[in-house]
Amino acid sequence: MIQQEMSSVMIKAFKQKLVETMSAFISFCAENNITYFATGGTAIGAIRHKGFIPWDDDIDVCMLRSEYDRFLALREKCKGTGYEITDYHTKGNSTPYAKFVNMNTTLVEFDYNSVSSGLFIDVFPLDNVGGSLAETIALKNRIMANVQRYQRTTFDLDSISMMRYLKGMHLNTIFQAIKYKLIYKHQVTKHVQ
């Protein structure tokens, strides 16, 4: 979500750049006959607020798996356009889904580790889960747990971070980072691929 430190002018400019990035994404998908759907807060914002949910700061879309795979296969077509398609194979992208990135901007995210990229549209694959609602919810929960584990494996404890955590007596954070890095990385990467 948008940090409180951003002024209303900065938030407006940020959202305008996201809209420009979405416009380029729409053009790219139209040129390549790729079908996508707004999802999550993006869909809710479009319907309920005729734009962004006021506290939202991203755009999420999804594609059927066949469209998603074609989308990823077209990443070379972005060369020289100022945009890039990234996924978990791309250095610096710790998410197990794709992003359509505006390379003419800079965005720094702080979560498990600091990541610098351009503004982006999140692009999620939509797989057929079938079955009952209970089965779908259970599958979603398993996938989200794996996503969180995967993101934690990308957390790097450099010497400055290590000292900050030690000084604050956040030993559990250090232990968890080492555990996920050493134990879970192989398991989670295997499930994500």
Side-chain angles (χ1 to χ4, degrees):
M1 294 300 151
I2 294 177
Q3 299 296 315
Q4 293 177 356
E5 296 85 27
M6 290 179 71
S7 70
S8 61
V9 172
M10 289 173 65
I11 292 169
K12 185 175 180 178
F14 176 85
K15 289 184 176 182
Q16 182 56 44
K17 281 293 181 189
L18 271 177
V19 169
E20 289 174 22
T21 303
M22 184 64 179
S23 179
F25 172 82
I26 290 168
S27 295
F28 182 83
C29 289
E31 289 168 13
N32 294 288
N33 199 27
I34 294 174
T35 303
Y36 63 91
F37 307 92
T39 189
T42 301
I44 292 169
I47 294 167
R48 187 170 62 194
H49 299 277
K50 308 297 184 236
F52 285 93
I53 295 174
W55 53 88
D56 204 3
D57 65 351
D58 68 348
I59 296 177
D60 300 321
V61 300
C62 61
M63 299 173 177
L64 295 176
R65 175 59 72 173
S66 58
E67 298 289 296
Y68 180 83
D69 290 343
R70 272 194 329 109
F71 176 74
L72 290 179
L74 293 169
R75 72 177 78 220
E76 289 298 314
K77 287 186 90 172
C78 286
K79 297 277 188 205
T81 66
Y83 295 91
E84 188 175 297
I85 297 170
T86 67
D87 68 355
Y88 68 94
H89 291 103
T90 309
K91 183 173 175 55
N93 183 0
S94 63
T95 59
Y97 51 85
K99 294 181 179 188
F100 185 80
V101 184
N102 183 337
M103 300 306 290
N104 297 312
T105 62
T106 301
L107 174 70
V108 179
E109 294 185 277
F110 300 97
D111 48 16
Y112 297 109
N113 56 356
S114 297
V115 177
S116 179
S117 69
L119 290 177
F120 55 84
I121 308 298
D122 287 327
V123 183
F124 299 97
L126 184 61
D127 293 313
N128 181 12
V129 294
S132 70
L133 179 59
E135 290 171 325
T136 301
I137 291 170
L139 177 61
K140 175 198 168 257
N141 290 339
R142 283 196 310 274
I143 290 170
M144 291 310 296
N146 278 336
V147 166
Q148 290 171 350
R149 285 186 186 121
Y150 176 79
Q151 287 178 319
R152 288 181 184 132
T153 65
T154 65
F155 180 74
D156 287 325
L157 276 179
D158 57 41
S159 57
I160 294 169
S161 297
M162 182 78 82
M163 294 308 292
R164 187 177 61 226
Y165 288 127
L166 283 172
K167 185 177 178 182
M169 294 304 292
H170 298 282
L171 299 178
N172 191 44
T173 301
I174 295 169
F175 173 74
Q176 293 297 324
I178 292 169
K179 178 175 83 172
Y180 280 106
K181 197 72 153 174
L182 298 177
I183 298 171
Y184 292 124
K185 184 162 185 143
H186 175 71
Q187 291 174 335
V188 172
T189 303
K190 183 173 66 174
H191 290 295
V192 170
Q193 295 176 354

